[in-house]
Amino acid sequence: MLFSKDGLSRIDYTLVLAVIILVVIGILMIYSAGFDPIEKVNNGLYRKQILWFIFGFILMVGLTIINYQALGEFSLHIYAVLIVVLLITAIFGRPVRNTRAWLNFGVIAIQPSEFMKLGLVIILAKYLEVRERDIVRLRELVIPTILTFIPVLIILKQPDFGTAIIFIPILLTMLFVGGADITHLISIVLIASIAMVVPMILTYREWIGAEGSNFILDFFKDVNLLLLVSGVMLAITIAAFVLHYFSVKKILRKIYIPGAVVSLGLMASVLIQNLFKVYQKRRILVFLNPDLDPQGSGYNIIQSKIAIGSGGLFGKGFLKGSQSQLGFLPEKTSDFIFSVVAEEWGFLGGIVMIGLLGFLVFKCIQTAFEAKDKFGALLASGITTIFFFHVLVNIGMVIGIMPVTGLPLCFVSYGGSNLLMSMICVGIILNIRARKFVY
Amino acid sequence: MLMQSSLRAKLQEAFRVRMYFFMAVTVAVFSILVLQLVNLQLIQGEEYQTRARLNMESNVPIPAARGDIYDRNFREGEKNVVIVSNRASFNITTIPAKFKSKKKFDEVLDLLALLLNIDREEIKNEISGGNPWERIVLKEDVEFETIVKIASRPDRFPNIDWEDASVRVYNFSEMFAHVIGYVGSISPREYQRLKTEGYKHYQKIGKAGIEKRYDQLLRGRDGYVRRIVDVRQRTEGEEVGERPVAGNNIILTMDYNIQNTVYEAMKDMKGAAIVLKPYTGEIIAMVSKPDFDPNLIISKNNAAIIKRLQTDRERPFLNRTIQSKYPPASTFKLITAVSALETEKATPDKTYFCPGYFVLKGYRDHVFYDYDVHGTVDLYWAIAKSCSVYFYQLGLLAGPSVLMRYAEDFGLNQKSGIDIPGEVAGFVPSRQWKYKAFGQPWFDGDTVNMSIGQGFLHVTPMGMCNFIAALVNNGIVYSPHLVREIRTNDNARVIKSFARKKIREIPLSPLTLKAVRKGMRLSVTSGTSGRLGYLKVPVAGKTGTAQTRSVRLEKFSQHAWFVGFAPYDGPPESAIAMVVLVEYGIAGAASAVPVAERVFTKLQELGYFTPAAPALKELKKQRGAVSGAAAPSPLEPSGAGEDRREAVAPAKKAGE
């Protein structure tokens, strides 16, 4: 069952076409962004992207041919290999801008963390398929969480904050569609929220100095105090849980669940406070209030919004976007590629691009519905989350409604690893779609 | 098995519900993205288009040509004497932020400092305060050869640019320095005051004289090139945004020939001279010495020269014609005479006997000396011989209030309103002032001193000139001015003409005027200004030797005055008034009179005294063909030196 002869006959060519259009637009935009209107030269990145696209297309076709169920069978192997490669990268990788995210192979460099996203989705899909009936229990969430946090911690060590943070919503969404208990998920989200908010407040206080000092903020200034509070709450929680175990009083459940949420949240916040670098925490604050840093990362968002807004309805035309051509737009070939599209091709170009991405996500969701087995459905929904969160975080960032996290826009941004990973994902989706009637 | 499949269906249903929920979330998110896109591009689009334009546009000014300045002999369409013009030149500029490192910048600056002779510290100071992306001027007015040197070695001088610049040229250097003034870089304080009037921080602004007073008319309006730059300030393209509008030209009332004559006559002197046409208030010449060369101080790299001039003990920046006050000395005797005659306290025939001294009776008698024994003199001879004893008594006769009133009526304590900035008013004492300043009443001794122009009185040469103008013009004084008309930059059209403007009318009886003029004429023919007697034009005049005590130089010093006019008997239309003041004139009045002699000669050569009020067009034709207005009188070239002692005596004043 590894290969299927009639696989290609059931290929969804509209999806393939959408992907090709997206990548071609991306290459055109990389050409435009790489053009220097003063020296009249191009930095040539678009050629590399074309090569990556050809390579990715071959991989896509290849993944269409093999049976996706084999991926489930080898999910642990794939995961383990990727973790090892990720570790090697984090330790021996060539540092680019102080981040060991790339493995160098002479002319090409690979970013293993991109493939890790798919690797995680595959193993989670397999796990959730196997534990389909037990997933409502809290203890079944432990293994998916561990599986997720191993790569997250390695990637944070590189450090690549943006890539690491995308794993969390992927995990939560997969648990959600995989059938996990809603109360558990909400608790986890609350814990995560507390874990994020407390370090943000601490960072804010530190940053703006004494002006930000007030009674409530002062409470958070001492990390040890936070640990003490969370420890006491945890003790109460455990006591309530133990009592609950021996008695039938339902009321105790109302104590130990919020208690656990708050105490674990505070502990995690201490962990995050010490784990994350100051600039990473500040970046989120700047997103919340760009005025905090108009010259730094706030500058990027301001310039991106100027680029997009000045595009208007029809745009300024190919190679005519002043913001991108004259270099006011930062990271224009990778993270801010959508700004180039919206500047040069205007609202119409932006709508086409969002439409194509929306069509892609819709096709993925449709695949999840139509998949013949649970693994296929979960795999398709996992791939959906990868695409969906990249679109949300990247476009949300460039239009100023999400923090600057440095995630690429799938298919469009320059970058071989992300393009390859995305093409593989599409290959898997095509595969699942092609086999929906094959039993 | 049934259980299994029903559980399976249940699980399948749960999955579908959650997938629908997830789908709803994705639809919501995509909608939000689209809405924000609508907001940014369609609703706020125009605002962001403006911001994008501000990002990439960097407007480079095109400096407007500053207006030229011509003298009164200007003829439209002819080749004229240009007093101030502009010359094309280059500025060396750079943008400090373009350099890879501070070290590299310092290296290049060191090399440039050798080539251009500039002060590195000054440049560094200028940079440290400002925006490193702003273009700064390293050196103004650089020769083309230097540009070639820099352009040929981009490896040694990276990021060093040059721009066209026009440099003001003062063609006669020092000769017109105080009248024309000079331009300089706008100071931060001036910029703060004037930025609402369209001045820019990189512009030049008139700092003194005509350049300052008429700056708004001379400067024109800068245009700009709209330059499209990238984030590193590299130029992508440019177009002319607005063309510059050249400044207006100025035609002076001054005559280059006369100014030259005055300037040459006063070459080695310190002092001031004014040649004025009383009938219109036009100033023909105005010289102040010592002077400075405005060409040397207009560049921003010449701070050291400016500093040296500013701290010079001789104060070359001071326009002594309007900014310095001196005791009027014997020239004030004319006002004493006017006061006595007008108040009918005396007639010109009144005689006093001059034994060479005058005793003022009082609590303790005090003796005021004269420089000579003049015997019995009437008013004419008293003026001619500058007999102090006569005027001591005439002053006492008229009384201090009358003297003060006439001094004030003639405007000696007022600014003349001349059209260059910085003028100061002279000082006429009063009883109240004396009481306030010294706690003493006004004594007769003060009156005696004042009647010969010593004591507390201080006047500017301009003030004295206006007094002469009143004498010439039957009591009417017109506002003295230096600019005749303003023309467009191509000289084709007159924008503004300055007609004469009456500033004062002093009712003077013909008798008084006749008597004082006659005395002044006698002074030329047979008195202290005797040297002027042989001139073809009949000159009337009065000398004076002022004594001042300079606090700064800590010594007594004497200043020689000459005030006068010509022709003595001509109509006021053709008359010229003149004031010459020589500071520390070693030979007293003898220093001032030769200046007047040369200037009157030149005026006459140029036909200024031709009766039919020479229309300027015919002036050149008439050169040489001098009219017979001059009636040379027998000369008595004595007395030039005597005036010196005259003032020494009253300096030992007592009065109390």
Short mmCIF file of all heavy atoms in Angstrom, two decimals, chain A residues 133, chain B residues 1-11:
data_model
loop_
_atom_site.label_atom_id
_atom_site.label_comp_id
_atom_site.label_asym_id
_atom_site.label_seq_id
_atom_site.Cartn_x
_atom_site.Cartn_y
_atom_site.Cartn_z
N ARG A 133 -9.96 7.73 21.93
CA ARG A 133 -11.04 7.58 22.91
C ARG A 133 -10.64 8.08 24.29
O ARG A 133 -11.50 8.40 25.10
CB ARG A 133 -11.42 6.10 23.03
CG ARG A 133 -12.05 5.63 21.74
CD ARG A 133 -12.30 4.16 21.80
NE ARG A 133 -12.41 3.65 20.44
CZ ARG A 133 -12.63 2.39 20.14
NH1 ARG A 133 -12.77 1.47 21.09
NH2 ARG A 133 -12.73 2.00 18.90
N MET B 1 -19.41 -4.67 18.58
CA MET B 1 -19.09 -4.11 17.26
C MET B 1 -20.01 -2.95 16.94
O MET B 1 -19.56 -1.91 16.44
CB MET B 1 -19.26 -5.24 16.22
CG MET B 1 -18.45 -5.01 14.95
SD MET B 1 -16.70 -4.95 15.28
CE MET B 1 -16.15 -4.20 13.77
N LEU B 2 -21.27 -3.15 17.33
CA LEU B 2 -22.24 -2.07 17.15
C LEU B 2 -21.87 -0.88 18.02
O LEU B 2 -21.88 0.27 17.61
CB LEU B 2 -23.65 -2.58 17.50
CG LEU B 2 -24.79 -1.77 16.86
CD1 LEU B 2 -24.93 -2.11 15.38
CD2 LEU B 2 -26.09 -2.06 17.60
N MET B 3 -21.56 -1.24 19.27
CA MET B 3 -21.08 -0.22 20.22
C MET B 3 -19.90 0.54 19.61
O MET B 3 -19.84 1.77 19.64
CB MET B 3 -20.63 -0.90 21.52
CG MET B 3 -21.72 -1.07 22.56
SD MET B 3 -22.07 0.49 23.40
CE MET B 3 -20.62 0.60 24.42
N GLN B 4 -19.00 -0.26 19.07
CA GLN B 4 -17.81 0.33 18.47
C GLN B 4 -18.17 1.37 17.40
O GLN B 4 -17.67 2.47 17.42
CB GLN B 4 -16.96 -0.80 17.83
CG GLN B 4 -16.16 -1.59 18.81
CD GLN B 4 -14.87 -0.88 19.22
OE1 GLN B 4 -14.89 0.31 19.45
NE2 GLN B 4 -13.79 -1.62 19.35
N SER B 5 -19.05 0.94 16.52
CA SER B 5 -19.36 1.83 15.40
C SER B 5 -20.16 3.05 15.84
O SER B 5 -20.00 4.14 15.30
CB SER B 5 -20.09 1.07 14.29
OG SER B 5 -21.39 0.74 14.75
N SER B 6 -21.03 2.86 16.86
CA SER B 6 -21.76 4.04 17.35
C SER B 6 -20.80 5.01 18.05
O SER B 6 -20.89 6.24 17.89
CB SER B 6 -22.90 3.63 18.28
OG SER B 6 -22.40 3.39 19.58
N LEU B 7 -19.84 4.48 18.78
CA LEU B 7 -18.82 5.34 19.40
C LEU B 7 -18.02 6.04 18.31
O LEU B 7 -17.72 7.24 18.38
CB LEU B 7 -17.90 4.48 20.28
CG LEU B 7 -16.78 5.26 20.99
CD1 LEU B 7 -17.35 6.20 22.02
CD2 LEU B 7 -15.78 4.31 21.60
N ARG B 8 -17.74 5.28 17.30
CA ARG B 8 -16.99 5.80 16.17
C ARG B 8 -17.75 6.99 15.55
O ARG B 8 -17.16 8.05 15.29
CB ARG B 8 -16.85 4.67 15.15
CG ARG B 8 -16.10 5.04 13.96
CD ARG B 8 -15.18 3.99 13.39
NE ARG B 8 -14.13 4.79 12.81
CZ ARG B 8 -12.95 4.93 13.37
NH1 ARG B 8 -12.65 4.25 14.45
NH2 ARG B 8 -12.06 5.71 12.83
N ALA B 9 -19.06 6.79 15.33
CA ALA B 9 -19.87 7.85 14.75
C ALA B 9 -19.91 9.06 15.68
O ALA B 9 -19.85 10.22 15.22
CB ALA B 9 -21.29 7.34 14.50
N LYS B 10 -19.99 8.78 16.98
CA LYS B 10 -20.02 9.88 17.94
C LYS B 10 -18.72 10.71 17.89
O LYS B 10 -18.74 11.94 17.84
CB LYS B 10 -20.20 9.32 19.36
CG LYS B 10 -21.49 9.79 20.05
CD LYS B 10 -21.67 9.07 21.37
CE LYS B 10 -21.44 10.01 22.52
NZ LYS B 10 -21.54 9.28 23.82
N LEU B 11 -17.63 9.96 17.86
CA LEU B 11 -16.34 10.63 17.79
C LEU B 11 -16.20 11.41 16.49
O LEU B 11 -15.71 12.54 16.45
CB LEU B 11 -15.20 9.62 17.90
CG LEU B 11 -14.94 9.05 19.29
CD1 LEU B 11 -13.96 7.90 19.22
CD2 LEU B 11 -14.43 10.14 20.21
#
